Amino acid sequence: MKTAIIILINKIVYFIGKLVGKGSSYPGKLALKLDKDILKKVKLPENIIMVTGSNGKTSTVGMICKVLEDNGYNVGCNKEGANQTEGVTTMILNCCNLKGEVKKDILVIESDEKYTRHTVKHFKPKYLVVTNLYRDQMTRSGHPELVYDVVKDAISDGIHLILNTDDPLSSMYGLNRENVTYFGMNENELVKKENTSAYDDDKYCPNCKEVMNYEYYHFNHIGKYKCQNCGHERKNPNYAITSLDLKNGIMKINEEYEVSIALRSIYNAYNLLAAFAVCDLVGVTERNIIKSLNNYIINNGRIENFKVNNTDGMVLVSKHENSISYNQSLLYIKNENKKCTVVVIVDAISRRYYTAATYWLWDIDFELLNTECVDNIVLSGKYAYDLAMRFEHTNIEKEKIIIEPDINLMIDKLKDMNNNYIYTVTCFKDKSTFLKLLKDKEGK
């Protein structure tokens, strides 16, 4: 079938899908069925940026797009989050005219780490960013070292790697390679000399399996490390966060470029740094990058404000089955140091498949909520008692913990409580459930 016809079919099916509220992967899936080599037959721009990793993909891609668009680039991007091969195909064909020419200056692609090796069979990105590799949806993905091997299959000569040097696992992609750029965070007042997280996946060197020595930790296994056996170590970053002040929301890159942070978290700082590195390599001036990134607001549904009666609240959305993502929300609450009630909802574990596995709750550092600013902790959802079991193994006072599996009844209890502020920590699906029930009640 002619390329033009397949492109037209992709556009029509995508348009119909949008009208009926369907996802954006099916048009690309259909196009690949009609011609498995369709992406090899279209004219792509020289600059293609692909971002993969366990955490931070969507936020980093959003930041990169913001900078590029602010600076006059016509950008194609799968912002809708369809990050598997079919979704990427949909986006690219939507950017094509019927001659098969991608009418964009640059493509910025979020790629599911388990599908990256399949996507790069169709085209080669100029830049590949690996944000990090953590425990993530282990029911589906397995251990991070398995994911490492999967992503490694996507890396070939000619691709410029942009790697988190503070992550012992993903930084290994740069071993014995040229054309590698590293980003990372230097030591600051927030570092820890010991890993106090619930688990320590890189206690042993991912390269040779001998004991890894750390000078300091930023969080979990992210920090400054060196293996005395094989020499695998944190490389000096080309782009570094040289100071970080979360209290005032300011970070400095390479001791020169100051960025104001709207979402004051270490994780967000890493995403901002990765975006800065990419845009600098593409050719945007540092001054213009900073202008776009200053007080960048994440508009991907991860943060949403609400009210319960007259009490303000914020939903902090975490990734399903991803302890690091939940830790990000908990650390944000702790650092804000605002008198509050914290609601934790686990009602659905996955949006992609059925599982009742709750082992990953034990990887979350709920101990972060053992702070004076947290007045009460409300556990809700189908798995409220699984959460309660996890909280029994913290030092948090039992009097602070309230268990109410029914989300509807939990909202009623919130209304009866004397709350200063409310943080709700949950996943995407449960966020929708919570906000819908809250809206229905507030509308009565």
Side-chain angles (χ1 to χ4, degrees):
M1 189 176 291
K2 289 186 176 181
T3 300
I5 296 175
I6 295 175
I7 292 172
L8 183 59
I9 290 172
N10 182 86
K11 291 175 181 289
I12 292 172
V13 174
Y14 176 79
F15 177 75
I16 295 171
K18 291 291 288 183
L19 290 177
V20 298
K22 295 293 184 181
S24 55
S25 291
Y26 181 72
K29 182 177 181 180
L30 178 59
L32 290 170
K33 277 190 176 182
L34 294 172
D35 185 348
K36 62 183 177 62
D37 295 320
I38 185 63
L39 292 183
K40 296 178 181 178
K41 297 177 180 178
V42 301
K43 185 178 180 181
L44 298 167
E46 177 186 351
N47 280 327
I48 301 177
I49 301 162
M50 185 174 287
V51 181
T52 193
S54 301
N55 287 57
K57 297 186 292 292
T58 304
S59 297
T60 302
V61 163
M63 293 171 183
I64 294 170
C65 288
K66 173 69 162 56
V67 174
L68 295 176
E69 289 168 350
D70 285 353
N71 286 276
Y73 287 85
N74 188 1
V75 181
C77 181
N78 54 336
K79 292 180 180 179
E80 294 171 324
N83 59 12
Q84 298 179 2
T85 307
E86 294 84 356
V88 173
T89 301
T90 299
M91 181 273 291
I92 292 176
L93 296 184
N94 277 346
C95 293
C96 286
N97 60 23
L98 295 184
K99 294 179 181 180
E101 301 166 335
V102 174
K103 306 305 289 182
K104 300 290 182 181
D105 301 322
I106 193 165
L107 296 178
V108 182
I109 298 169
E110 177 186 338
S111 180
D112 183 289
E113 56 273 26
K114 291 165 289 299
Y115 282 80
T116 301
R117 62 177 177 176
H118 301 300
T119 304
V120 299
K121 292 176 182 177
H122 299 276
F123 61 89
K124 182 185 290 188
K126 183 175 182 179
Y127 301 102
L128 175 61
V129 183
V130 184
T131 57
N132 46 62
L133 292 175
Y134 305 134
R135 296 189 185 192
D136 177 34
Q137 299 179 338
M138 292 177 70
T139 303
R140 180 172 76 101
S141 304
H143 193 272
E145 291 197 12
L146 294 175
V147 179
Y148 171 88
D149 290 335
V150 171
V151 175
K152 189 176 182 180
D153 288 342
I155 298 173
S156 60
D157 293 339
I159 297 177
H160 187 140
L161 298 181
I162 302 171
L163 306 175
N164 183 347
T165 191
D166 298 342
D167 178 6
L169 185 56
S170 61
S171 67
M172 283 210 308
Y173 293 128
L175 293 178
N176 304 315
R177 279 184 62 95
E178 297 179 353
N179 213 20
V180 180
T181 295
Y182 293 99
F183 65 93
M185 186 184 302
N186 290 353
E187 186 174 10
N188 55 51
E189 61 182 14
L190 300 174
V191 302
K192 299 175 290 185
K193 295 301 180 180
E194 295 182 0
N195 186 349
T196 58
S197 299
Y199 66 91
D200 188 357
D201 274 340
D202 280 312
K203 183 175 182 179
Y204 298 96
C205 174
N207 188 43
C208 72
K209 311 307 177 187
E210 292 295 325
V211 174
M212 183 74 87
N213 295 318
Y214 274 81
E215 186 175 323
Y216 57 79
Y217 298 85
H218 292 299
F219 60 89
N220 288 76
H221 59 277
I222 304 301
K224 186 173 183 180
Y225 54 87
K226 181 172 183 178
C227 176
Q228 299 299 330
N229 182 58
C230 72
H232 176 43
E233 63 180 335
R234 177 189 188 267
K235 303 291 192 300
N236 288 328
N238 305 94
Y239 297 90
I241 297 173
T242 47
S243 67
L244 179 64
D245 180 356
L246 290 182
K247 182 178 180 181
N248 294 302
I250 297 172
M251 76 180 208
K252 189 170 284 189
I253 297 173
N254 290 351
E255 298 183 349
E256 184 176 357
Y257 307 107
E258 190 172 282
V259 186
S260 296
I261 312 173
L263 177 61
R264 293 175 290 184
S265 75
I266 291 177
Y267 309 86
N268 191 44
Y270 271 102
N271 296 337
L272 287 163
L273 179 64
F276 182 96
V278 171
C279 295
D280 188 49
L281 291 169
V282 168
V284 183
T285 65
E286 290 90 347
R287 181 179 179 181
N288 285 345
I289 297 172
I290 296 301
K291 185 177 179 181
S292 293
L293 291 181
N294 264 329
N295 290 310
Y296 176 85
I297 303 297
I298 298 174
N299 293 317
N300 57 10
R302 294 290 176 98
I303 299 173
E304 196 156 341
N305 296 313
F306 64 87
K307 278 185 178 288
V308 175
N309 288 342
N310 292 318
T311 303
D312 291 322
M314 175 185 290
V315 179
L316 297 169
V317 178
S318 303
K319 192 176 177 184
H320 294 70
E321 302 176 89
N322 187 301
S323 58
I324 294 287
S325 184
Y326 276 82
N327 287 348
Q328 174 180 352
S329 300
L330 302 178
L331 191 58
Y332 176 81
I333 294 168
K334 180 179 179 180
N335 288 336
E336 286 295 289
N337 197 30
K338 181 187 298 184
K339 278 290 185 180
C340 64
T341 292
V342 178
V343 178
V344 184
I345 303 174
V346 181
D347 195 61
I349 293 177
S350 175
R351 293 187 293 179
R352 298 188 178 188
Y353 49 84
Y354 173 75
T355 175
T358 57
Y359 59 86
W360 55 276
L361 296 177
W362 294 83
D363 293 338
I364 301 173
D365 295 332
F366 286 116
E367 289 79 5
L368 291 167
L369 296 180
N370 191 13
T371 176
E372 289 185 5
C373 70
V374 177
D375 292 328
N376 295 291
I377 300 170
V378 183
L379 310 179
S380 190
K382 181 178 179 180
Y383 300 95
Y385 286 101
D386 294 80
L387 280 168
M389 180 66 73
R390 170 67 181 92
F391 272 86
E392 282 189 11
H393 290 263
T394 69
N395 293 322
I396 298 172
E397 298 173 13
K398 291 184 179 180
E399 292 75 17
K400 285 188 174 184
I401 298 173
I402 300 166
I403 305 170
E404 178 47 72
D406 189 306
I407 300 175
N408 204 32
L409 296 178
M410 178 272 290
I411 294 173
D412 290 334
K413 287 188 177 181
L414 281 180
K415 290 186 173 186
D416 294 334
M417 294 167 61
N418 185 22
N419 302 300
N420 294 293
Y421 193 84
I422 302 170
Y423 289 106
T424 298
V425 179
T426 189
C427 64
F428 277 106
K429 187 172 182 179
D430 294 345
K431 178 198 81 168
S432 299
T433 302
F434 170 69
L435 292 179
K436 184 179 184 304
L437 288 171
L438 183 59
K439 183 179 179 181
D440 290 344
K441 284 181 176 291
E442 292 293 304
K444 290 180 180 179

